[in-house]
Amino acid sequence: MTAPTTAALTGLRVLDLATLFAGPMAATLLGDFGAEVVKIEHPGKPDPSRGHGPSKDGVGLWWKMLGRNKRTMTLDLSKPGGRATLLRLAATTDVIIENFRPGTLEKWDLGWPELSAVNPRLVLARVTGFGQFGPYAHRPGFGTLAEAMSGFAAITGEPGSPPTLPPFGLADSIAGLTTAYAVMTALAARERTGEGQVVDMALIEPILAALGPQPLWYDQLGHVQPRTGNRSPNNAPRGVYRTADGTWVAVSTSAQSVAERVMHLVGRPELIDEPWFASGADRARHADVLDEAVGGWIAVRTRTDVMAAFEKAEAAVAPVQDVRDVMADPQYQALGTITTVDDPELGPLRMQNVLFRLSATPGAIRWAGRPHGADTEEILTELGLSPDDVTALRAEGAL
């Protein structure tokens, strides 16, 4: 179960000490492109992601995706034997990803001074809700709190309605992507300096970056973005529109030329001559007129006809799809976005493929998430521990 030699990150070793989503997702992304990832879980308290969402035959399906390309072992870091074993693993590792509350590793004498002493080239990625310092650092933090605190929920939803949280791990996913980028940035720096460093990743920051120039707008103009539903303050027509057969399509007119094509398509070219049509922001102030024109035209046509007409007009449109549509979508099929992974527990599994395509050093899913602690003895044997050493660790409760 080794990475193909052509994979971009072959030879990189990662210890995934994190639980739930942001930290483990970062480790998954590294493993997808060839890194050797070892998932370390508490012997009696596995990663809660194993139990999140639907399961089949008692096996959590989310874990099958999040745990892919990872070997799994158990280790209680609070036990002396667990601490000593982690330090031995750290000495041969490039990256450790953890998401304990600040101070937890230090409580076990496994902080940066101890880890870097055994491996000065180590990169330690610390993923928390609020960062390693500051007045909120020791609070429990989850993605939902970041979605609320960052301003995302405040701008999401219909005008006059309550703030809206996403029904999936948005902040965690953005932080997971960012953590993988941060790790690679630290590894690039190591190539120049020869030394590792600490990555301090707070869930509340990447999602704020994804929200765009809101702090700048407020700083310079006092502008606070309101909730606008599916409308945009920057362009119109923009939103989702119901078709004659009861489905929905999404339309975007971020480019002026596309907005003009849409007006020709729906039979309202005279609107292009209006003084306010010349800019996206001015069009947004007249969204009622534009939505009536576009929505009325779409409402009397099937989605198939709408899609064909928009494509012919070179106007931007997409169907509003649920997961059933996604699995059958020809563009996703062409890209190989959904792939099949053979799993010894559940058989063939379809899941999202690796995140992007590299022409010379592609990534791959080598296996889906493995059972709790499945590779413990193999990993410890590779580390040089004898059968008696492993027995002693088990007797201590460290495994």
Side-chain angles (χ1 to χ4, degrees):
M1 293 192 298
T2 58
T5 55
T6 57
L9 301 181
T10 297
L12 187 73
R13 194 171 202 211
V14 179
L15 297 185
D16 176 9
L17 307 184
T19 57
L20 293 172
F21 306 116
M25 180 181 178
T28 301
L29 296 173
L30 299 173
D32 282 351
F33 286 88
E36 178 199 351
V37 181
V38 175
K39 173 74 175 182
I40 297 179
E41 299 171 86
H42 189 279
K45 293 177 284 186
D47 187 332
S49 68
R50 290 181 178 272
H52 265 62
S55 62
K56 180 181 178 183
D57 300 334
V59 179
L61 296 175
W62 200 334
W63 166 252
K64 284 297 178 182
M65 177 180 161
L66 192 62
R68 70 192 194 190
N69 292 335
K70 300 178 183 181
R71 294 199 289 170
T72 62
M73 68 172 290
T74 58
L75 201 61
D76 185 343
L77 304 183
S78 69
K79 304 286 187 181
R83 175 186 181 275
T85 302
L86 183 73
L87 289 173
R88 290 185 65 165
L89 286 165
T92 64
T93 291
D94 297 287
V95 179
I96 293 178
I97 301 174
E98 63 96 3
N99 71 336
F100 300 107
R101 285 200 215 179
T104 302
L105 282 183
E106 287 75 9
K107 178 179 67 177
W108 298 328
D109 292 326
L110 287 170
W112 179 241
E114 292 81 9
L115 292 170
S116 61
V118 300
N119 184 357
R121 290 175 55 81
L122 180 69
V123 170
L124 174 63
R126 316 194 74 169
V127 185
T128 58
F130 305 104
Q132 293 295 311
F133 56 91
Y136 305 163
H138 291 278
R139 293 181 181 178
F142 297 99
T144 297
L145 307 187
E147 290 147 10
M149 186 173 165
S150 63
F152 172 85
I155 65 169
T156 305
E158 294 295 327
S161 69
T164 301
L165 294 166
F168 66 101
L170 177 62
D172 280 288
S173 297
I174 297 173
L177 291 162
T178 309
T179 300
Y181 162 61
V183 164
M184 297 309 298
T185 301
L187 291 172
R190 190 181 72 174
E191 290 299 304
R192 296 196 317 275
T193 67
E195 296 181 352
Q197 60 184 299
V198 176
V199 172
D200 180 3
M201 180 62 62
L203 290 181
I204 60 174
E205 293 184 301
I207 189 171
L208 181 59
L211 287 173
Q214 290 191 46
L216 179 60
W217 287 342
Y218 180 74
D219 174 64
Q220 295 296 303
L221 302 171
H223 175 71
V224 178
Q225 184 171 330
R227 286 191 287 283
T228 57
N230 288 321
R231 287 181 173 178
S232 167
N234 303 310
N235 68 82
R238 188 261 197 184
V240 294
Y241 304 90
R242 189 178 179 91
T243 63
D245 50 354
T247 61
W248 296 82
V249 295
V251 173
S252 176
T253 56
S254 295
Q256 181 70 20
S257 59
V258 173
E260 294 176 6
R261 288 176 205 152
V262 170
M263 290 301 105
H264 281 290
L265 173 63
V266 302
R268 297 295 301 276
E270 75 280 1
L271 292 176
I272 299 171
D273 298 326
E274 293 287 348
W276 49 260
F277 197 88
S279 77
D282 284 339
R283 293 201 311 274
R285 296 185 186 98
H286 294 79
D288 286 342
V289 174
L290 296 172
D291 278 346
E292 182 181 0
V294 175
W297 186 89
I298 289 174
V300 297
R301 290 165 174 82
T302 65
R303 185 165 76 176
T304 299
D305 289 343
V306 170
M307 295 293 297
F310 266 75
E311 184 170 351
K312 184 177 180 181
E314 298 184 1
V317 69
V320 176
Q321 302 190 146
D322 65 19
V323 67
R324 295 167 294 186
D325 304 309
V326 168
M327 299 292 269
D329 185 278
Q331 183 62 31
Y332 281 133
Q333 289 180 347
L335 294 173
T337 306
I338 305 297
T339 191
T340 300
V341 182
D342 289 322
D343 180 67
E345 287 186 285
L346 298 178
L349 305 172
R350 288 199 292 169
M351 66 176 71
Q352 295 97 316
N353 208 339
V354 300
L355 197 57
F356 48 86
R357 288 161 293 281
L358 295 179
S359 62
T361 56
I365 302 173
R366 303 183 297 284
W367 63 87
R370 290 173 54 71
H372 182 228
D375 305 292
T376 301
E377 294 198 11
E378 180 184 57
I379 293 167
L380 294 178
T381 300
E382 293 170 358
L383 193 60
L385 274 67
S386 69
D388 288 343
D389 295 330
V390 174
T391 299
L393 288 170
R394 290 199 183 281
E396 185 193 6
L399 298 181

